[in-house]
Amino acid sequence: YVLRRMVETGSIDRTRFEAATAEPMESTLHGATVETDAPYVGEMVRQRMLDLVGPEAYTAGYVVTTTIDSRLQSAAVSALREGLLEYDRRHGYRGPLARIDPATIEQGPDLATFVSGYRAGPGMELGVVTAVEEQSAEVMVPGLGTAVIPWEGLVWAHQFIDDNTRGPEPSAASEVLAPGDLIELSPMAEGNWRLSQVPLVQGAIVAVDPIDGAVAALSGGFDFQDSKYNRAAQARRQPGSAFKPIVYLSALETLTPASVLSNEETTYDLHG
């Protein structure tokens, strides 16, 4: 495009244009390498830099060093996502993302056509169910080919009724899936796959060094691409057990490790 525009504007002649286009393409993509999955932390840094230096944060070449430990960050993100997925699975399966006519699938168009417009959650793949056996299902996954979901990847999928109610445990794969279902699936051990879904519940995780208060790991939700609201830093949370040290410290002011407390029932008469 650039060479063609240079010809149109008279910067080069046709001979130089043809010689340049005949040269092999040697350009490569350059960009920052993502070393750890910490988009919520990155957004916190961006907002803080805008507060400190304004729009120059984007152009002045600043380098920001955080206290995030990439090893702990990876573990924290994995733990949060798996915890949310497990909680969501206990509430049942809400059904496929879409249903496609199986006859259309058999005509053989590009599988990517069926999944266009949909995005799988982190760690998941999109797939179209092509066959259902008694206790397994066969799924076509774009870019990966055929995948099989065994019974252990389906048995969790009780029918979702409401937030507090789910149907009985399925006894056959046909009670969960049907050919033409567009679903999400995630890898299990030994190359197997599990029927999956993006959880409706959300959560956050923060790991703080108790010595200096440095944030070693932080994630503000299941998927930053789906929701950029940082529940670790922006949500107004109940204190919960975080208030216990305040209560315990008041007792420690009057007790020592040698103090002996009687573990017996005590009654206080507040009206006497």
Side-chain angles (χ1 to χ4, degrees):
Y1 172 79
V2 173
L3 290 171
R4 188 177 72 247
R5 289 290 298 138
M6 292 177 73
V7 172
E8 293 173 354
T9 59
S11 300
I12 60 175
D13 57 22
R14 177 61 59 176
T15 301
R16 294 186 63 186
F17 170 80
E18 293 175 353
T21 54
E23 291 289 330
M25 183 68 70
E26 298 179 350
S27 61
T28 57
L29 180 64
H30 297 273
T33 300
V34 177
E35 298 179 355
T36 188
D37 185 4
Y40 289 98
V41 177
E43 176 60 14
M44 292 172 67
V45 171
R46 186 190 71 84
Q47 294 178 8
R48 180 59 175 160
M49 287 300 294
L50 281 177
D51 292 341
L52 291 174
V53 301
E56 284 190 3
Y58 298 120
T59 59
Y62 287 100
V63 175
V64 179
T65 301
T66 73
T67 57
I68 296 296
D69 182 319
S70 61
R71 179 181 57 87
L72 296 179
Q73 177 67 19
S74 178
V77 170
S78 297
L80 175 62
R81 287 177 177 168
E82 187 55 36
L84 294 175
L85 286 168
E86 288 183 1
Y87 179 89
D88 191 70
R89 284 195 290 266
R90 292 196 296 268
H91 287 72
Y93 178 53
R94 295 184 293 276
L97 299 174
R99 297 186 187 275
I100 304 166
D101 185 355
T104 305
I105 301 174
E106 294 175 0
Q107 295 175 3
D110 184 7
L111 191 61
T113 303
F114 298 123
V115 303
S116 62
Y118 295 91
R119 189 180 71 87
M124 302 180 190
E125 299 286 348
L126 294 174
V128 178
V129 178
T130 55
V132 177
E133 304 296 336
E134 182 177 354
Q135 290 194 327
S136 66
E138 188 175 282
V139 184
M140 288 298 296
V141 181
L144 298 178
T146 302
V148 175
I149 305 178
W151 184 240
E152 54 265 34
L154 292 170
V155 69
W156 69 268
H158 302 240
Q159 179 188 4
F160 174 85
I161 297 176
D162 57 43
D163 290 341
N164 300 309
T165 312
R166 63 178 185 170
E169 180 177 312
S171 58
S174 59
E175 297 177 12
V176 180
L177 298 175
D181 284 355
L182 175 60
I183 62 172
E184 292 170 295
L185 60 162
S186 55
M188 297 171 61
E190 300 178 356
N192 291 326
W193 293 84
R194 173 191 283 125
L195 174 66
S196 194
Q197 62 187 5
V198 173
L200 294 180
V201 66
Q202 282 286 1
I205 185 170
V206 182
V208 179
D209 189 324
I211 302 301
D212 58 9
V215 177
L218 182 148
S219 182
F222 182 79
D223 182 8
F224 183 77
Q225 296 301 319
D226 182 62
S227 171
K228 295 175 174 55
Y229 180 64
N230 188 342
R231 295 157 187 84
Q234 295 175 303
R236 306 183 75 178
R237 303 173 304 281
Q238 294 181 342
S241 293
F243 191 75
K244 289 179 180 178
I246 300 174
V247 178
Y248 297 157
L249 283 173
S250 63
L252 291 175
E253 289 181 348
T254 59
L255 301 175
T256 72
S259 299
V260 178
L261 302 179
S262 176
N263 185 21
E264 62 182 12
E265 180 178 348
T266 303
T267 300
Y268 298 94
D269 186 359
L270 301 181
H271 302 286

